[in-house]
Amino acid sequence: MELTGTGLCGSPWPELLPDRRPVLVVPAVAASPVVAGEGWTAHPPGGDPAPGWTAVLDGQHLTVCRPGGHPWYEGPVAAGRQWQRAIRAHRTLLLVTGPFTGVLDFRAAAATGGLLLLTVAARLAEPP
C-alpha cells in the first residue's frame, strides 16, 4: 500500500496550523528547488503572500507557481474538506520545505533550523 500525500513516500502533505491556516509540507526534491531572492525564509513569514507566487487547488490537484508563472509544484495532495475550506477562507498557503524526504525525518530538519518557509496567494479553482 502506498500512502501518497501523507509524507511517507516523499510526496507533499497538507497540514493545518492551530489557527486553521493551510500549510503544504514539501520534501526536498530536485523538481522544486528553492531559489534565493524569491522570498523564502528560515523565520516565520508575515501574513502577506510573496509577490508573484500563486497556488490553485483543483479538487486534489495543486499547482504552485513561482514568479513568472513557472510551476514550483504541480501534483496531487491529500486535501480534505477542512484544508480546502482553509484555502478558501485564508486565501494564502504556507509552504514549508527543507532537507527532509518525508514525515519521518521532518522533525530532525526542523530541530536543526533547516526549514524554509514561504507564504503564497492561494485559491480554489473555479468550477467548470
Side-chain angles (χ1 to χ4, degrees), residues 5-104:
T6 63
L8 292 178
C9 54
S11 57
W13 69 93
E15 294 284 347
L16 288 173
L17 292 175
D19 66 0
R20 314 304 289 166
R21 283 184 296 150
V23 177
L24 185 69
V25 183
V26 184
V29 292
S32 300
V34 171
V35 178
E38 287 187 335
W40 293 93
T41 179
H43 307 289
D48 292 332
W53 283 83
T54 61
V56 177
L57 180 63
D58 188 356
Q60 298 294 304
H61 186 87
L62 180 70
T63 302
V64 176
C65 291
R66 53 180 9 122
H70 295 86
W72 181 79
Y73 173 78
E74 189 169 21
V77 292
R81 282 188 182 156
Q82 289 182 352
W83 203 73
Q84 292 175 4
R85 286 182 190 136
I87 293 280
R88 184 181 304 116
H90 293 278
R91 293 182 282 191
T92 59
L93 174 62
L94 177 63
L95 302 174
V96 178
T97 193
F100 58 94
T101 58
V103 70
L104 299 177

